[in-house]
Amino acid sequence: MTGAAAEVLRLLGERGGTLAVAESLTGGLLAAELTGVAGASRSFRGSVTAYATPLKEQLLGVDGELLAVRGAVDAQVAREMAQGVRRRLGADWGAATTGVAGPEPQDGQPVGTVFVAVAGPDGAAEVAPLRLTGDRAAIRRASVAAVLDLLAEQLRKSSE
């Protein structure tokens, strides 16, 4: 996966852009992947691992009513996480992961339900819904790969 992280950091570097990430089910795995790339500090601002649902509201500004009604595993929650971490950490770009890695369903969602999101400098966000299979570790790894792919795609679009 480090290749995808390196590509994201290369694209950010070309634009002089910065990135912050908000993680739930990936529990810091995305930040670890990014910081595993030499020179990441030029673009990577930091991360918030908001694993507990209330922290998504308290630290990232996710709407509390949204969390109460839909739970943490939701496309709009992912969008608000990405937008919130971008604002909180003063980054040009924000990325977020939320979902169910298992072994049990959460918030009425089956294992493998994941939402990844990317928010750009204009505040608009793209969300990708995923239905992943495999064990807990495989779902977490695939979530990191998916958000890095989405981020690279959005960075490329922003330069067109």
Side-chain angles (χ1 to χ4, degrees):
M1 260 191 296
T2 304
E7 174 67 1
V8 161
L9 291 167
R10 183 188 68 74
L11 290 166
L12 284 165
E14 286 176 357
R15 293 156 182 75
T18 56
L19 171 66
V21 300
E23 299 185 68
S24 188
L25 84 149
T26 50
L29 191 59
L30 175 56
E33 193 68 22
L34 289 161
T35 58
V37 177
S41 62
R42 285 190 292 275
S43 299
F44 184 63
R45 301 257 320 144
S47 65
V48 173
T49 301
Y51 203 66
T53 298
L55 294 179
K56 291 170 180 61
E57 178 182 9
Q58 295 164 7
L59 299 177
L60 300 170
V62 175
D63 181 83
E65 188 174 327
L66 172 67
L67 289 166
V69 172
R70 296 192 199 165
V73 183
D74 179 80
Q76 183 61 27
V77 170
R79 177 178 283 108
E80 291 187 20
M81 287 173 66
Q83 292 166 328
V85 78
R86 187 185 149 276
R87 282 190 309 271
R88 284 279 199 194
L89 300 188
D92 299 310
W93 292 85
T97 64
T98 188
V100 187
E104 302 295 325
Q106 177 187 335
D107 296 336
Q109 298 288 345
V111 172
T113 302
V114 174
F115 297 92
V116 297
V118 171
D122 62 358
E126 290 292 323
V127 179
L130 308 171
R131 295 287 182 198
L132 303 172
T133 58
D135 63 13
R136 184 174 175 79
I139 290 169
R140 292 175 71 228
R141 283 191 309 272
S143 299
V144 169
V147 76
L148 288 171
D149 287 346
L150 181 62
L151 183 53
E153 174 186 314
Q154 294 305 306
L155 285 163
R156 286 186 197 101
K157 278 185 186 177
S158 75
S159 68
E160 293 176 351

